[in-house]
């Protein structure tokens, strides 16, 4: 998805202290958090947050990064780039970073459906074929486990907040409150409640064509935890469990992902 020109252009990108970065592997809920953060900005400023351009940071060129200099603060920058590929100014200028994770099995299933449902992007012949490519990292933005390993040592920084998709599903209002506190936004319980009603899967899917155009209903597909059980074979389960053990078991991110709760049984 990114050419060497993209990375050269990204080097010219100047992050601001009050930028809000949403870092996630694809299909982990980036559009969900983007919506929540936009609603939080609206609640505290009464300014509707409008994305002046396509919000994925790395989908751009040097002209986009020039134009972004004129965008009002706070800017929301979504990215699927691995930690070591992020523009250094994000860290130097201490932008706030929300790192969003989702269990790798549901992430893979969501990724397959996205490829196969959305016209104009490559589709895969079968789930088995996609699974093989996903495990090898031969999919857009590379291997889930490389993304995770890359982030593992950087989740405890002052400017970093870890968010688990499954936690948000379990208690959306609590998750929104934590995000608000991390961003330094002070909201009443009533405001948090209003945002959580607007941020459920059903509410977002119902508006998806207005908010995201024709791709909306594919982007807001099912919004569930455990959909992997409909596609994974026993052998694929074992392979993913092994990979998790090899890459993340015993690490702080491994514990944060609550793999046993969401990927087994
Ligand atoms: N409000 C809400 N509640 C629960 N789940 C939600 C919500 N909004 C988006 N989603 C689900 O997130 C998945 C899409 O992830 P991303 O937005 O990161 O996709 S993308 O990488 O930007 O294309 C995709 O998951 P799947 O439904 O499993 O495919 C979306 O449905």
């Amino acid at each position: 998805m990114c050419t060497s020109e993209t990375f050269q252009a990204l080097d010219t990108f100047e992050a601001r202290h009050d930028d809000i970065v949403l870092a996630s592997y694809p299909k982990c809920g980036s559009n969900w958090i983007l919506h929540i953060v936009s609603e939080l900005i609206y609640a505290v400023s009464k300014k509707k947050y409008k994305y002046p351009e396509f919000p994925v940071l790395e989908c751009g060129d040097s002209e986009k990064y020039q134009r972004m200099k004129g965008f009002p603060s706070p800017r929301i920058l979504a990215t699927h780039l691995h930690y070591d590929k992020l523009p250094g100014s994000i860290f130097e200028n201490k932008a706030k970073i929300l790192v969003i994770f989702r269990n790798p099995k549901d992430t893979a299933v969501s990724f397959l459906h996205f490829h196969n449902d959305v016209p104009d992007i490559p589709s895969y012949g079968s789930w088995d074929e996609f699974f093989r490519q996903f495990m090898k990292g031969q999919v857009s933005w590379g291997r889930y486990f490389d993304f995770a390993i890359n982030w593992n040592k950087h989740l405890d920084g002052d400017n970093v907040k870890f968010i688990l998709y499954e936690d948000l599903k379990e208690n959306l209002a609590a998750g929104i409150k934590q995000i608000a506190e991390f961003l330094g936004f002070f909201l009443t319980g009533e405001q948090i409640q209003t945002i959580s009603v607007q941020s459920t899967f059903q509410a977002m899917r119902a508006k998806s064509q207005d908010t995201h155009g024709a791709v909306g209903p594919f982007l807001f597909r099912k919004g569930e935890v455990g959909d992997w059980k409909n596609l994974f074979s026993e052998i694929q389960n074992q392979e993913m469990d092994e990979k998790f053990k090899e890459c993340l078991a015993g690490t702080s991110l491994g514990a944060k992902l609550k793999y046993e709760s969401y990927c087994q049984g």
Side-chain angles (χ1 to χ4, degrees):
M1 298 290 289
C2 302
T3 62
S4 53
E5 285 78 42
T6 308
F7 285 108
Q8 270 168 19
L10 258 178
D11 277 346
T12 66
F13 173 73
E14 196 52 36
R16 295 182 195 148
H17 178 61
D18 53 10
D19 282 340
I20 301 169
V21 180
L22 312 182
S24 64
Y25 187 79
K27 315 318 292 178
C28 288
S30 161
N31 284 284
W32 191 8
I33 309 299
L34 188 59
H35 168 80
I36 290 171
V37 172
S38 315
E39 290 299 324
L40 289 170
I41 292 173
Y42 179 67
V44 292
S45 68
K46 288 287 162 253
K47 284 191 202 120
K48 266 273 171 237
Y49 186 82
K50 288 236 302 262
Y51 322 112
E53 303 231 351
F54 188 63
V56 179
L57 182 63
E58 58 273 22
C59 295
D61 53 20
S62 52
E63 280 157 30
K64 170 176 166 181
Y65 304 127
Q66 281 303 317
R67 286 193 297 277
M68 285 181 76
K69 289 185 179 168
F71 295 174
S73 291
R75 302 179 299 188
I76 305 177
L77 318 169
T79 177
H80 301 312
L81 287 175
H82 293 209
Y83 178 88
D84 53 2
K85 296 280 184 299
L86 286 168
S89 61
I90 288 179
F91 306 105
E92 285 146 26
N93 297 335
K94 298 190 169 40
K96 289 209 161 60
I97 310 175
L98 294 161
V99 187
I100 308 142
F101 269 93
R102 182 183 194 182
N103 80 69
K105 291 184 181 174
D106 282 337
T107 300
V109 169
S110 176
F111 215 169
L112 165 80
H113 284 294
F114 192 70
H115 273 285
N116 283 5
D117 294 347
V118 176
D120 303 332
I121 61 168
S123 53
Y124 288 83
S126 66
W127 157 247
D128 290 348
E129 184 194 332
F130 179 78
F131 178 79
R132 270 196 304 278
Q133 304 296 347
F134 181 85
M135 294 306 282
K136 282 196 262 177
Q138 287 177 356
V139 291
S140 314
W141 284 286
R143 213 166 65 118
Y144 174 100
F145 288 100
D146 290 338
F147 181 90
I149 291 167
N150 252 296
W151 264 108
N152 179 42
K153 292 201 189 86
H154 305 285
L155 293 170
D156 294 324
D158 286 345
N159 302 305
V160 177
K161 168 89 184 148
F162 173 85
I163 297 169
L164 187 64
Y165 176 100
E166 292 79 4
D167 283 347
L168 266 193
K169 279 292 291 184
E170 187 139 336
N171 192 338
L172 184 51
I176 293 174
K177 186 164 181 280
Q178 282 179 25
I179 295 171
E181 282 167 5
F182 171 71
L183 296 176
F185 296 159
F186 297 97
L187 276 78
T188 63
E190 198 181 327
Q191 285 175 306
I192 298 280
Q193 210 44 50
T194 306
I195 296 175
S196 39
V197 170
Q198 293 160 346
S199 307
T200 61
F201 176 75
Q202 289 74 12
M204 291 189 67
R205 185 178 159 86
K207 289 194 176 166
S208 62
Q209 253 170 342
D210 296 339
T211 54
H212 292 77
V215 83
F218 305 125
L219 194 52
F220 299 88
R221 182 188 64 94
K222 207 167 189 185
E224 284 178 3
V225 178
D227 195 28
W228 60 269
K229 292 178 187 164
N230 295 315
L231 284 182
F232 271 70
S233 69
E234 199 38 54
I235 291 174
Q236 290 166 341
N237 257 331
Q238 281 168 13
E239 187 179 334
M240 183 75 91
D241 294 351
E242 281 305 314
K243 190 53 79 183
F244 176 82
K245 256 195 227 150
E246 181 192 317
C247 298
L248 293 172
T251 66
S252 95
L253 175 57
K256 284 183 164 73
L257 286 176
K258 304 180 188 168
Y259 190 84
E260 288 75 16
S261 302
Y262 297 118
C263 282
Q264 282 166 354

